[in-house]
Amino acid sequence: MSSAPAPQPGPQPAPPPPAVEVEGATVRYGDVLALDDVHLTLAQGRLCALLGTNGSGKSTLLRTVLGLNPAARGTVRVLGRGPAAARRAGLLGYVPQSEQVDWAFPVRVIDVVMMGRYGRMGPLRRPRRADREAVEAALERTGLADLAHRQIGALSGGQRKRAFVARGIAQGAQVFLLDEPFAGVDRPSEATIIEVLTAMRDEGHTLLVSTHDLAGVPRWCDEAVLLQRRVVAHGSPQEVLSPERLMSAFGAGPAPAPADEGCAA
């Protein structure tokens, strides 16, 4: 008596797409080559530092992932979508450098955070209960609930950065791009930002953070990327911050030992 054939395994589910996938991206500003054949893949649920000297292309890379500086050559995908489609779907959150924001514009903190909900509202931009609850939760999470009705320009540097992080949280973004979030911030805000970022990573968000804080990176990042118009190194912070690679990229020795009290800005 013959035995029944063994059941055949069904189709396996497709693996999730990378959070960020950059393939051969080249960006120019006129005659200036800002990015040269950049290849970078970030898995979902990772906290990655973006390192490099001034002029190495860090801000350009973030803006290219956002679709604000389209690549002359190469492709960019965010969770399997092009940058414009990812922005329309609310998948991308962005914290710009302070110099890119008009802090004199008369807008309150709560209004800045509510902007993250605009993609979910109708054309009249009338917040619903779900929008207000999302904004309140984001303000609470970033320690800004008591400052919700203060003018954004009246905040300290660290509080301003937290307001933009709160905007991305309220938006429901899955991938966050942060351009120098620790520059010019005080220690309490720095610690709060790091706490929020690591908690978001633990919840499955992906974060790419441009920073000059070499000493702090091993404490709060899963991986690091060293950029000099091209990706020089990508791996664990310990691998990327080797003396040889730092000497090549910065013309300097290894990063100083991290301080006990938190990241240095």
Side-chain angles (χ1 to χ4, degrees), residues 6-200:
Q8 297 298 311
Q12 298 298 309
V20 175
E21 189 172 21
V22 181
E23 291 289 340
T26 297
V27 177
R28 290 182 176 273
Y29 299 125
D31 294 333
V32 177
L33 181 62
L35 295 177
D36 181 18
D37 193 32
V38 169
H39 293 261
L40 175 64
T41 300
L42 295 182
Q44 296 185 39
R46 303 291 285 175
L47 177 48
C48 179
L50 180 60
L51 310 173
T53 60
N54 291 331
S56 62
K58 299 189 301 296
S59 295
T60 297
L61 178 56
L62 295 180
R63 291 175 61 84
T64 299
V65 174
L66 279 166
L68 303 181
N69 285 346
R73 195 167 63 243
T75 60
V76 177
R77 308 289 289 176
V78 178
L79 294 170
R81 312 184 189 202
R87 288 204 315 273
R88 286 194 299 270
L91 299 176
L92 272 169
Y94 178 48
V95 178
Q97 289 191 31
S98 296
E99 300 79 36
Q100 301 170 359
V101 180
D102 180 7
W103 300 114
F105 191 76
V107 62
R108 301 172 302 168
V109 174
I110 193 171
D111 300 322
V112 170
V113 180
M114 186 63 76
M115 291 175 187
R117 302 293 299 177
Y118 281 3
R120 301 172 182 270
M121 299 181 192
L124 298 180
R125 303 282 194 242
R126 290 179 177 171
R128 299 162 299 175
R129 178 177 178 180
D131 301 314
R132 290 190 291 269
E133 290 178 348
V135 168
E136 290 172 3
L139 289 167
E140 188 69 35
R141 184 167 187 177
T142 52
L144 294 174
D146 293 340
L147 303 175
H149 297 280
R150 188 169 297 183
Q151 201 269 336
I152 188 73
L155 269 56
S156 70
Q159 290 166 343
R160 293 172 181 177
K161 296 291 178 67
R162 282 190 271 156
F164 278 89
V165 173
R167 182 182 67 176
I169 293 173
Q171 173 185 320
Q174 295 300 306
V175 178
F176 284 75
L177 310 175
L178 299 94
D179 200 351
E180 298 291 347
F182 307 120
V185 308
D186 54 39
R187 288 284 183 175
S189 286
E190 184 181 272
T192 299
I193 292 171
I194 292 173
E195 181 180 350
V196 170
L197 297 186
T198 53
M200 291 167 63

